[in-house]
Amino acid sequence: MHKSGDLYNKSLISAQIGRFVSVFPRCPLNGAYEIQSFCLGHTDFVSCITFICSSDSNKAFLISGSGDSTVRLWDPISGNLLDTCEIGLKVGRVGSSGDEEACHPAVTDLCASPDGSLVAVGVQSLRGVMLLSCDHHKEYLLVIK
């Protein structure tokens, strides 16, 4: 079992141009980089990622935001998707033009609190931020404001 701090200190996280996130060990095996896991699930570009460590449950999580208007919670060891928060549905219609982009605004920024229990989410065309609660034990995200 990995301790969350160990994983944070020994991993390199990369959001690719495509629709996935890669997790690499920071110290390559025999000089060759290997991919520890892929986090697959977004349907549009990955725009931002953050890594959180839970001190109370000794787990590490990855959170990603995307042009598909979702924030996703991942297990970085296995690459398993734990939860998806549909930000576009919570924000509602941002623009009045009726176009697709206005209905599904991209997630542009993520910032987690030091303990990982709160995540501030920047959303395209939204003044201010949305706040998500991250439950480490139940492994889900919940919009709180």
Side-chain angles (χ1 to χ4, degrees):
M1 180 174 151
H2 289 277
K3 292 183 179 177
S4 59
D6 290 345
L7 184 64
Y8 178 79
N9 291 323
K10 296 180 180 178
S11 298
L12 173 68
I13 313 300
S14 172
Q16 305 298 322
I17 293 173
R19 300 173 178 166
F20 62 94
V21 176
S22 301
V23 179
F24 299 89
R26 188 168 275 168
C27 297
L29 179 64
N30 297 325
Y33 283 96
E34 59 188 66
I35 296 173
Q36 179 167 335
S37 65
F38 283 111
C39 300
L40 304 170
H42 284 292
T43 59
D44 208 336
F45 63 91
V46 176
S47 55
C48 47
I49 52 177
T50 192
F51 190 83
I52 59 172
C53 297
S54 169
S55 58
D56 59 335
S57 68
N58 204 28
K59 290 183 180 178
F61 299 96
L62 204 85
I63 299 177
S64 60
S66 171
D68 64 8
S69 199
T70 65
V71 173
R72 296 177 189 248
L73 180 67
W74 306 92
D75 174 349
I77 300 292
S78 65
N80 287 339
L81 177 62
L82 303 173
D83 195 21
T84 300
C85 187
E86 301 279 346
I87 297 298
L89 296 176
K90 306 296 183 195
V91 171
R93 180 160 282 204
V94 175
S96 59
S97 63
D99 64 3
E100 185 70 19
E101 188 174 305
C103 295
H104 302 285
V107 174
T108 58
D109 295 292
L110 295 170
C111 183
S113 62
D115 67 354
S117 64
L118 291 175
V119 180
V121 180
V123 182
Q124 179 184 7
S125 303
L126 179 69
R127 292 182 186 204
V129 296
M130 293 186 72
L131 284 179
L132 304 182
S133 172
C134 181
D135 187 312
H136 302 144
H137 297 288
K138 296 181 181 176
E139 301 177 341
Y140 73 85
L141 299 166
L142 178 67
V143 174
I144 54 176
K145 186 167 183 164

